[in-house]
């Protein structure tokens, strides 16, 4: 079963557009995070393997730095980098197989009734998403999307500057297997341009497409409930976050009956007015499961208000999940996301830090929040070196987030998010150094601060936070497949 990013267009040359073409801005400006911008010499709209190959080769011959883009959902400026002179955009490939996350969900469901546990936002491009591991609403039940990657087609550039396409599979006998492995969590923009993915469950040898991947859920139950900040004092905040952490510690094994529930606890700034918990359950008796979850969170404190519980078909949910969560104002937002993976719940000291940053008034950061997404379950059944997504012991993916509209608000927001994150992890140099409590950070949520020695004072390099012990292997693969370092960005893998 494959998700193809190309249209098999027979034209050898792709469309080259410069700044005077109205389509230029549409590509350069499609980034989700409006914090970054770039002005490449030109953009290539590519729609076949041949076109990608010649677009890459031309840029290399011209000595222009290139970046590939799919959905534009990078949280850092890896594509929108002022040094990038050529952007190769694979997204114009609109025929049948060009895929965002939402389009993949739809095609798999409508044609075979199956699913890959992709990420939460339908507009994310498959190109940059799957290679970063990719977790989503179904991750506790089904694992990471990268766990289902069977093969990948990539255009790479050799030492002589020649571009060519390679198909790499997970078959042990495949001489290109290392390139497949690197695409199971190594991150986008590192090895070449991904043209096509093939997916099948790790244990599936079937030839019948409907049995190659997990069956999609019959239906989904979503829920949401809120606490008014005016009802939450410091002791009840401590209790709520502690309750939540205890629930995660007790319910994150793959065989837990609660692996079928995924939740996001949104600890917004007090000025936002409320704390929100929302989630998704695929359990048949979801109502009881959700009620138990909310009861566990609110033990010893006031119960959440405004409970909403909705049952809907899987696809309806997947194509428009939690519209209020992802709604963007016209023109979009600038954001900063500082992610960490936790093996244990936050300590009371850390919950105190969170209370302080969410309630303090010296930073007027309306869009700030600490998000805690449940993790674990099936993700943690995979060996750390089986894929390039090495973090296989976590129960929570947390993030200090902030977003703003006015560029003049940037410094204030960045200062708040950076100080918050640093103080959460102050005991390990301001970052979640892999230990019995933390497991570093997730490369699909890249944060260049981790490479800044003034913000990461742990002495543990950024690449260990993202890749742990797998980094040297990724470096060897980088040296083999991208010897000229054509594909690079602020957090790209450096060859040995
Ligand atoms: C609103 C939002 C929600 C998100 N939710 C989730 C989530 O639930 N789970 C999760 O895992 N992640 C999530 N992410 C992160 C997202 O998966 C990553 O940022 C991903 O890299 C985006 O891919 P893209 O193609 O859309 O982005 P782009 O900005 O186009 O690319 C991102 C990176 O991948 C590279 N890249 C793009 N296309 C290709 C290609 N064809 N071949 C090789 N490299 C390529 C780029 O060069 C760049 O380095 C979310 C991001 C946002 C903004």
């Amino acid at each position: 079963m494959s998700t193809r990013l190309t249209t098999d267009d027979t034209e050898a040359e792709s469309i080259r557009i410069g700044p005077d073409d109205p389509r230029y801005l549409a590509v350069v400006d499609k980034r989700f995070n409006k914090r970054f911008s770039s002005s490449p010499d030109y953009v290539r709209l590519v729609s076949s393997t041949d076109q990608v190959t010649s677009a890459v080769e031309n840029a290399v011959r011209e000595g222009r730095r290139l970046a590939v883009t799919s959905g534009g959902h990078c949280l850092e400026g890896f594509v929108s980098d002022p040094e990038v002179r050529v952007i190769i955009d694979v997204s114009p490939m609109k025929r049948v197989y060009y895929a965002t996350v939402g389009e993949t969900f739809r095609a798999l469901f409508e044609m075979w009734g199956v699913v890959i546990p992709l990420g939460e936002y339908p507009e994310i491009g498959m190109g940059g998403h799957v290679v970063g591991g990719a977790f989503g609403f179904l991750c506790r039940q089904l694992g990471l999307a990268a766990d289902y990657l069977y093969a990948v087609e990539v255009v790479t550039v050799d030492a002589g500057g020649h571009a060519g396409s390679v198909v790499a599979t997970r078959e042990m006998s495949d001489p290109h297997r290392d390139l497949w492995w690197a695409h199971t969590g190594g991150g986008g923009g590192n090895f070449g341009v991904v043209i096509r993915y093939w997916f099948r469950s790790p244990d599936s040898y079937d030839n019948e497409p409907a049995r190659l991947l997990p069956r999609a859920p019959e239906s989904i139950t979503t829920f949401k409930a809120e606490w008014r900040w005016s009802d939450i004092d410091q002791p009840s905040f401590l209790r709520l976050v502690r309750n939540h952490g205890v629930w995660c510690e007790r319910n994150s094994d793959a065989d837990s009956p609660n692996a079928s529930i995924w939740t996001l606890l949104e600890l917004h700034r007090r000025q936002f007015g409320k704390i929100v918990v929302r989630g998704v359950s695929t359990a048949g008796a979801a109502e009881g499961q959700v009620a138990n979850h909310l009861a566990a969170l609110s033990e010893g404190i006031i119960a959440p208000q405004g409970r909403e519980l909705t049952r809907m078909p899987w696809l309806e949910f997947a194509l428009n999940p939690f519209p209020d969560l992802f709604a963007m104002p016209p023109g979009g937002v600038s954001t900063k996301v500082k992610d960490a993976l936790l093996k244990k719940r936050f300590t009371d000291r850390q919950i105190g830090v969170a209370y302080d940053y969410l309630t303090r008034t010296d930073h007027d950061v309306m869009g700030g929040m600490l998000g805690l997404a449940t993790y674990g379950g099936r993700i943690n059944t995979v060996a750390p070196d089986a894929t390039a997504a090495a973090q296989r012991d976590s129960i929570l993916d947390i993030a200090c987030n902030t977003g703003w509209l006015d560029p003049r608000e940037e410094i204030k927001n960045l200062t708040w998010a950076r100080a918050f994150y640093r103080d959460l992890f102050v005991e390990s140099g301001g970052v979640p150094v892999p230990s019995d409590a933390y497991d570093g950070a997730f490369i699909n949520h890249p944060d260049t601060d981790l490479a800044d020695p003034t913000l990461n004072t742990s002495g543990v390099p950024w690449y260990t936070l993202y890749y742990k012990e797998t980094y040297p292997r990724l470096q060897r693969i980088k040296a083999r497949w991208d010897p000229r370092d054509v594909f690079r960005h602020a957090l790209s893998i450096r060859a040995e």
Side-chain angles (χ1 to χ4, degrees):
M1 180 160 298
S2 71
T3 296
R4 204 171 166 80
L5 303 180
T6 72
T7 58
D8 285 338
D9 205 310
T10 47
E11 292 291 319
E13 273 301 307
S14 53
I15 300 170
R16 176 185 161 134
I17 48 180
D20 53 349
D21 188 300
R23 291 166 295 176
Y24 173 92
L25 213 55
V27 175
V28 171
D29 246 16
K30 83 168 167 183
R31 68 206 184 280
F32 177 88
N33 191 349
K34 302 300 181 201
R35 206 178 134 210
F36 303 102
S37 61
S38 64
S39 48
D41 299 337
Y42 63 87
V43 165
R44 285 268 186 199
L45 304 177
V46 289
S47 48
S48 70
T49 305
D50 285 349
Q51 290 188 0
V52 173
T53 306
S54 84
V56 168
E57 206 162 273
N58 283 341
V60 170
R61 198 176 41 245
E62 293 161 3
R64 294 182 218 251
R65 175 148 165 208
L66 68 87
V68 55
T69 192
S70 290
H73 276 61
C74 189
L75 292 163
E76 287 286 2
F78 296 171
V79 177
S80 301
D81 181 329
E83 287 184 16
V84 166
R85 304 311 328 152
V86 179
I87 294 182
I88 298 179
D89 184 357
V90 300
S91 72
M93 309 168 187
K94 283 292 175 200
R95 229 171 60 197
V96 190
Y97 289 114
Y98 160 65
T100 61
V101 162
E103 286 156 348
T104 306
F105 277 141
R106 180 192 285 281
L108 293 179
F109 184 79
E110 289 181 347
M111 293 172 80
W112 300 288
V114 297
V115 70
I116 303 167
L118 296 162
E120 293 147 19
Y121 193 55
E123 300 294 315
I124 301 170
M126 289 290 281
H129 181 57
V130 175
V131 284
F135 76 89
F137 299 116
L138 303 179
C139 66
R140 283 161 54 87
Q141 261 178 292
L142 299 177
L144 301 177
D147 297 344
Y148 294 82
L149 188 65
Y150 170 74
V152 65
E153 181 182 3
V154 193
V155 169
T156 58
V157 180
D158 68 15
H162 304 296
S165 113
V166 188
V167 173
T169 74
R170 69 175 179 224
E171 297 294 339
M172 294 309 267
S173 57
D174 187 337
H176 305 142
R177 190 175 189 273
D178 61 347
L179 192 61
W180 159 81
W181 182 85
H183 283 81
T184 58
N190 273 302
F191 306 99
V193 183
V194 175
I195 303 295
R196 172 146 68 152
Y197 295 116
W198 286 257
F199 293 100
R200 54 171 62 182
S201 298
D203 49 358
S204 170
Y205 296 93
D206 216 296
N207 285 324
E208 172 56 45
R211 287 197 292 268
L212 277 177
L213 287 168
R215 284 199 69 71
E218 298 269 304
S219 64
I220 282 279
T221 301
T222 64
F223 69 93
K224 185 178 161 196
E226 299 171 357
W227 289 267
R228 282 193 300 264
W229 252 113
S230 53
D231 292 335
I232 299 289
D233 58 8
Q234 186 157 13
S236 37
F237 183 85
L238 177 72
R239 190 74 199 261
L240 168 61
V241 184
R242 201 196 273 160
N243 287 345
H244 177 262
V246 168
W247 186 93
C248 292
E249 287 184 343
R250 290 183 183 158
N251 293 281
S252 296
D253 288 344
D255 56 4
S256 161
N258 282 323
S260 54
I261 192 172
W262 175 96
T263 75
L264 175 66
L265 180 62
E266 300 164 31
L267 301 170
H268 291 278
R269 288 261 306 160
R270 182 153 59 191
Q271 72 210 94
F272 185 76
K274 56 195 180 186
I275 288 171
V276 180
V277 62
R278 66 175 87 227
V280 168
S281 169
T282 56
E287 251 171 71
Q289 186 185 43
V290 171
N292 288 341
H293 180 66
L294 295 178
L297 296 197
S298 46
E299 206 180 308
I301 63 164
I302 189 168
Q305 315 291 307
R307 295 181 190 212
E308 291 169 13
L309 197 84
T310 313
R311 204 174 178 86
M312 65 182 88
W314 156 247
L315 193 61
E316 184 184 329
F317 167 74
L319 296 181
N320 191 17
F322 299 120
D324 65 314
L325 182 64
F326 292 117
M328 286 298 141
V333 289
S334 296
T335 64
K336 183 68 186 169
V337 175
K338 297 183 65 66
D339 163 276
L341 287 160
L342 307 190
K343 294 180 182 176
K344 290 185 176 164
R345 66 189 166 96
F346 276 139
T347 61
D348 289 356
R349 182 199 69 78
Q350 289 172 311
I351 301 174
V353 168
Y355 184 82
D356 178 30
Y357 278 89
L358 296 171
T359 58
R360 61 197 295 169
T361 50
D362 55 342
H363 299 280
D364 174 28
V365 178
M366 178 70 171
M369 78 159 193
L370 175 64
L372 295 94
T374 54
Y375 207 71
R378 177 84 173 263
I379 296 172
N380 293 351
T381 62
V382 175
D385 60 354
T387 66
Q391 289 110 337
R392 299 292 183 165
D393 277 324
S394 297
I395 57 168
L396 280 162
D397 180 74
I398 68 101
C400 299
N401 295 335
T402 184
W404 61 96
L405 299 174
D406 183 341
R408 286 170 301 185
E409 306 264 287
E410 173 166 316
I411 291 177
K412 183 170 74 177
N413 278 273
L414 290 179
T415 305
W416 176 84
R418 285 172 174 157
F420 186 2
Y421 190 83
R422 178 201 61 211
D423 288 353
L424 281 176
F425 301 108
V426 71
E427 287 156 349
S428 50
V431 296
V433 173
S435 63
D436 63 344
Y438 316 129
D439 214 9
F442 183 58
I443 194 60
N444 252 2
H445 294 167
D447 173 12
T448 52
D449 292 350
L450 299 186
D452 179 341
T454 64
L455 298 168
N456 171 4
T457 57
S458 67
V460 176
W462 63 268
Y463 46 81
T464 303
L465 299 173
Y466 285 116
Y467 301 113
K468 304 205 302 178
E469 288 81 25
T470 61
Y471 190 63
R473 185 169 171 191
L474 286 166
Q475 287 183 290
R476 288 193 293 277
I477 299 169
K478 173 80 175 176
R480 176 178 177 198
W481 291 102
D482 185 19
R484 297 167 67 108
D485 202 20
V486 169
F487 299 95
R488 63 182 187 277
H489 51 68
L491 296 181
S492 57
I493 291 153
R494 319 297 195 239
E496 268 181 308

